[in-house]
Amino acid sequence: MTVSVEGNLLFDFSSAVRSTKFDEEGAHGLTHCMKAVDFLVETHDAVLLIEAKDPDHPLAQARDVAVFAQELQSSVLTARELVPKCRDTFIYEWCCQDRAVDINKPWKYLVLIALSALRPPELIVLSDGLRRSLPVAGPPGQRWQPFVQDCQVFNLQTWSKSLGALFPVTRLQQ
């Protein structure tokens, strides 16, 4: 898969070693008990778990966008969706003998929230909260090997600036 759609967003993964739409029906056999990120992408030097949320979708209802924004600000989205999707996807790949990716590469969790009202300072706070919740850093004074070496939350503008050359994302027309 080199191009894939999530919501109203088109992702181009043609520069990846491999990519999988991991939350698609049949992508893995435990969807009844494990959550999945949208995409599992392998590059030459890392494995990327990519989750996309598109509250600015042209068909989104104002009430749904308001609920999403409230869940985002209250950390409910992080606790109920973002952390379990990352953790369950990693556990699935770690346990699976027929892995889709090289589990020995560093893992990074990238979350794209296509919400125009989301500004860079809020993205920093969300990224820091996600790092603590996963957790990327272990208990003080203990040796710790995190399953995810880093994570970051983006909006469309910061994604384009940081990752757009590697994995461009465009909004589909409705």
Side-chain angles (χ1 to χ4, degrees):
M1 170 192 74
T2 58
V3 176
S4 189
V5 174
E6 181 64 31
N8 190 250
L9 303 172
L10 178 72
F11 288 79
D12 181 348
F13 295 122
S14 57
S15 64
V17 172
R18 70 180 52 86
S19 62
T20 304
K21 183 136 177 39
F22 202 67
D23 69 346
E24 195 169 61
E25 191 68 36
H28 71 80
L30 296 176
T31 55
H32 66 283
C33 64
M34 298 181 89
K35 293 190 176 217
V37 296
D38 294 318
F39 305 104
L40 190 57
V41 178
E42 185 174 358
T43 67
H44 291 289
D45 57 355
V47 174
L48 308 176
L49 300 113
I50 299 175
E51 179 64 21
K53 299 292 181 191
D54 189 13
D56 277 352
H57 189 293
L59 301 178
Q61 301 296 311
R63 181 186 177 292
D64 295 335
V65 174
V67 168
F68 179 88
Q70 182 179 15
E71 288 180 351
L72 184 62
Q73 294 303 319
S74 68
S75 300
V76 168
L77 182 72
T78 297
R80 289 192 187 156
E81 283 197 51
L82 300 180
V83 168
K85 286 182 176 197
C86 178
R87 189 177 291 143
D88 286 359
T89 300
F90 178 83
I91 290 170
Y92 182 89
E93 284 296 304
W94 184 75
C95 292
C96 188
Q97 297 298 306
D98 298 322
R99 293 185 180 104
V101 295
D102 180 354
I103 198 164
N104 296 312
K105 290 181 179 179
W107 287 56
K108 298 177 183 183
Y109 189 27
L110 309 177
V111 178
L112 171 60
I113 301 176
L115 180 62
S116 57
L118 200 54
R119 300 289 173 227
E122 296 166 305
L123 296 170
I124 292 168
V125 170
L126 291 168
S127 295
D128 289 345
L130 191 55
R131 281 186 199 97
R132 283 190 306 277
S133 296
L134 282 172
V136 171
Q142 292 186 15
R143 292 174 35 144
W144 181 258
Q145 176 60 48
F147 66 96
V148 174
Q149 281 64 39
D150 196 15
C151 58
Q152 191 167 356
V153 180
F154 300 88
N155 62 19
L156 280 172
Q157 182 181 17
T158 58
W159 179 282
S160 292
K161 190 180 287 185
S162 298
L163 298 163
L166 187 61
F167 302 122
V169 175
T170 55
R171 184 167 292 288
L172 299 171
Q173 301 302 317
Q174 287 287 28

